[in-house]
């Protein structure tokens, strides 16, 4: 196979995988996951920031749904398209650093790894983040090798968009600086204006989000501090959480591919002498060590170090294609088989007579929501003047997507926002109004006491598995007296 044939071959495989995932989304019969419906509600009121994330994900969904409507596929489409785009960038990076063969297997490894196989079914902030990270790396490598401004400005612009996607993009900057400092050929750029103008451009692109945070009391930064336990009393020594985080990285990259990556990272000192290997290690190790330290001393979700897999997808084929290419092929094959098993587990369970349960259904969190909302809808339709209120972010988001009420609010008596709905809605100025309150609890005496009268309208139950169902209670609360 010639080098020229690798790009169209990778494009064809990527297109087939993408089309297959599109079919799987519809075949599984799932609803939108809570974060997805939350992002959709954000997209209905575009802003420069939201409680827990910057604005790019909402803008992408707004663009997709403007063209295709508010269907499940339209909302998920940004991720379905951005992961193949990242695959193309990885091909270009692999070709630049090593060879077209490495670029081909890097792209295929990315499209097949469990992280992308899982997130490819859902719209998430990791999709634009990984594309921006890989593009920024490509532009940076080009900028370091050429005189001029274009690649530096492109790099800065992509970093800015990446920051508007997810703040994890900020980790790109110290790695880029480290790459320049460690290579004598690149240190000349420290005294030239282009890199610093690129950084200023990135900050300028981020600045509307910073202003939004400033005018809203910095909710995104406070949320980030909360989930990472920065300044929290629970920070300490948590080796178990570190083990869980490392295990999540291994599973995210794949059982065999993860072992190959661990082997390569364990030999970092030997690989360091190769300039291309060193470039990738600079964009893997700092972020991996940083989030590992976070996991050890506080808390870290498995995807917080997701950008390391851009470098990892390149490093593994670069190291092992020369040693034993069968390991690279096997790593991709294992990942594809694992994805097939996960995608078709409900089919496998039915074929083998295995009952799906809350313990063995990986898609349970995306089931039953439309039916639940429809059940609540009969009560909201009977009381169209009442304000829809639900007790948590998950319920509010799902009800907003399905029912699209004209009036809704979060219950927030202390005025301290814990999610976006508590940040952007108010009930304290709605005295005298009636409320439809949706709760997981059978009785709400603490809330009913804030109204002139209360009435239980009914219960909505949606059976999903024999040991799992969705259940809410719906109340009509009349005459809000204030918090």
């Amino acid at each position: 196979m010639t080098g020229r044939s690798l790009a169209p071959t990778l494009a064809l495989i990527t297109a087939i995988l993408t089309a297959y995932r599109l079919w799987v989304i519809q075949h599984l019969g799932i609803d939108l996951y809570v974060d997805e419906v939350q992002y959709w509600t954000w997209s209905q009121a575009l802003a420069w920031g939201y409680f827990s994330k910057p604005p790019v994900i909402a803008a992408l969904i707004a663009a997709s749904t403007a063209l295709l409507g508010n269907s499940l596929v339209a909302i998920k489409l940004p991720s379905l398209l951005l992961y193949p785009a990242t695959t193309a960038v990885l091909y270009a990076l692999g070709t630049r650093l090593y060879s077209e063969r490495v670029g081909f297997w890097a792209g295929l490894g990315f499209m097949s790894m469990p992280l992308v196989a899982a997130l490819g079914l859902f719209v998430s902030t990791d999709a634009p983040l990984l594309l921006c990270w890989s593009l920024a790396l490509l532009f940076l490598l080009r900028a370091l090798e050429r005189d001029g401004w274009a690649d530096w400005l492109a790099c800065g612009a992509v970093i800015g968009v990446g920051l508007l996607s997810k703040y994890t993009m900020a980790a790109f900057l110290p790695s880029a600086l480290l790459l320049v400092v460690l290579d004598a050929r690149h240190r000349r750029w420290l005294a030239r204006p282009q890199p610093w103008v690129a950084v200023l451009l990135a900050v300028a692109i981020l600045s509307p989000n910073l202003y939004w945070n400033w005018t809203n009391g910095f909710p995104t930064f406070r949320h980030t501090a909360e989930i990472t336990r920065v300044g929290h009393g629970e920070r300490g020594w948590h080796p178990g959480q570190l083990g869980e985080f490392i295990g999540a990285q291994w599973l995210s990259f794949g059982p065999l591919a993860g072992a190959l990556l661990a082997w390569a990272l364990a030999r970092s000192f030997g690989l360091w002498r190769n300039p291309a290997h060193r470039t990738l290690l600079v964009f893997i190790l700092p972020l991996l060590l940083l989030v590992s330290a976070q996991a050890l001393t506080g808390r870290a979700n498995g995807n917080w170090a997701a950008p390391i897999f851009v470098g990892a997808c390149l490093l593994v084929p670069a190291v092992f294609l020369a040693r034993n290419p069968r390991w690279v092929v096997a790593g991709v094959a294992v990942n594809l088989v694992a994805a097939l098993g996960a995608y078709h587990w409900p089919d496998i369970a039915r074929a083998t007579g295995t009952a799906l349960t809350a313990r063995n259904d990986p898609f349970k969190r995306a089931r039953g929501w439309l039916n639940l909302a429809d059940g609540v809808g009969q009560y909201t339709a009977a009381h169209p003047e009442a304000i829809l209120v639900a007790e948590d972010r998950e319920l509010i988001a799902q009800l907003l997507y399905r029912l699209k009420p004209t009036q809704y609010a979060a219950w927030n008596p202390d005025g301290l926002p814990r999610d976006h709905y508590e940040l952007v809605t108010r009930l304290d100025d709605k005295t005298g109004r009636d409320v439809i309150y949706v709760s997981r609890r059978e009785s709400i005496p603490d809330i009913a006491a804030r109204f002139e009268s209360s009435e239980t309208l009914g219960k909505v139950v949606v059976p999903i598995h024999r040991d799992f169902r969705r259940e809410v209670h719906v109340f009509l609360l009349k005459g809000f007296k204030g918090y």
Side-chain angles (χ1 to χ4, degrees), residues 14-15 18 78-89 110-111 116 131:
T14 300
T18 301
S79 285
L80 283 166
L81 298 180
L82 292 181
Y83 289 125
T86 304
T87 298
V89 180
F110 178 81
M111 277 298 288
V116 171
L131 176 59

Side-chain angles (χ1 to χ4, degrees), residues 146-212:
R146 306 176 181 180
D147 288 324
W149 284 87
D151 289 313
W152 284 110
L153 294 177
C155 183
V158 169
I159 292 172
V161 175
L163 289 168
L164 288 177
S165 302
K166 199 170 184 178
Y167 294 147
T168 309
M169 189 72 202
F172 186 92
L173 293 171
S175 286
L177 179 61
L178 188 61
L179 178 65
V180 172
V181 169
L182 290 175
D183 195 320
R185 299 172 302 163
H186 302 326
R187 288 179 198 145
R188 64 189 178 95
W189 288 109
L190 295 174
R192 302 185 68 177
Q194 287 93 325
W196 309 110
V197 172
V199 172
L200 290 176
L201 176 59
V203 174
I205 292 172
L206 178 63
S207 61
N209 175 255
L210 297 177
Y211 179 76
W212 179 90

Side-chain angles (χ1 to χ4, degrees), residues 48-61:
W48 280 107
Y50 302 92
F51 181 83
S52 59
K53 295 289 189 299
V56 160
I57 190 66
L60 289 171
I61 293 173

Side-chain angles (χ1 to χ4, degrees), residues 68-332:
L68 302 172
N70 293 313
S71 68
L72 179 131
V73 168
I75 293 170
K76 293 175 181 287
L77 191 61
S79 285
L80 283 166
L81 298 180
L82 292 181
Y83 289 125
T86 304
T87 298
V89 180
L90 281 168
Y91 176 84
L93 280 166
T95 301
R96 171 172 287 273
L97 286 169
Y98 300 102
S99 67
E100 287 185 301
R101 188 170 175 232
V102 170
F104 174 85
W105 285 103
L108 193 54
F110 178 81
M111 277 298 288
S112 64
M113 73 173 177
L115 179 74
V116 171
L119 294 180
L121 301 185
F122 305 94
V123 64
S124 77
T125 54
D126 288 309
L129 169 67
L130 292 175
L131 176 59
C132 288
W133 187 282
S134 57
L135 274 173
L137 180 56
L138 179 61
F139 285 126
L140 175 64
L141 296 181
R142 289 173 49 172
L144 291 172
E145 295 171 3
R146 306 176 181 180
D147 288 324
W149 284 87
D151 289 313
W152 284 110
L153 294 177
C155 183
V158 169
I159 292 172
V161 175
L163 289 168
L164 288 177
S165 302
K166 199 170 184 178
Y167 294 147
T168 309
M169 189 72 202
F172 186 92
L173 293 171
S175 286
L177 179 61
L178 188 61
L179 178 65
V180 172
V181 169
L182 290 175
D183 195 320
R185 299 172 302 163
H186 302 326
R187 288 179 198 145
R188 64 189 178 95
W189 288 109
L190 295 174
R192 302 185 68 177
Q194 287 93 325
W196 309 110
V197 172
V199 172
L200 290 176
L201 176 59
V203 174
I205 292 172
L206 178 63
S207 61
N209 175 255
L210 297 177
Y211 179 76
W212 179 90
N213 269 279
W214 179 64
T215 57
N216 287 276
F218 294 98
T220 318
F221 294 97
R222 287 191 290 104
H223 171 74
T224 302
E226 177 64 26
I227 63 175
T228 57
R229 296 177 180 169
V230 172
H232 199 284
E234 294 183 22
R235 290 194 73 88
W237 198 252
H238 302 283
Q241 293 198 21
L242 173 61
E244 290 179 8
F245 171 73
I246 296 300
Q249 306 317 294
W250 171 59
L251 292 175
S252 295
F253 201 56
L256 180 54
L260 297 178
L261 176 61
W263 187 95
L265 294 181
R267 287 155 179 78
S268 296
F269 288 111
L271 299 177
W272 195 261
R273 291 189 294 269
N274 182 306
H277 293 348
R278 183 168 63 246
T279 295
L280 299 179
L281 290 171
V282 162
F283 284 91
I284 296 174
L285 291 175
L287 180 57
L288 179 60
L289 293 174
L290 175 65
V291 185
S292 295
Q294 168 63 35
L296 181 62
T297 60
R299 173 177 173 267
N301 289 344
N303 67 330
W304 285 2
I308 70 170
F309 296 120
V310 170
C313 285
L314 291 157
L315 184 64
V316 167
V319 171
F320 286 94
L321 284 176
R323 298 170 182 267
N324 192 335
R326 288 177 295 180
W327 285 114
V328 178
V329 177
V332 169

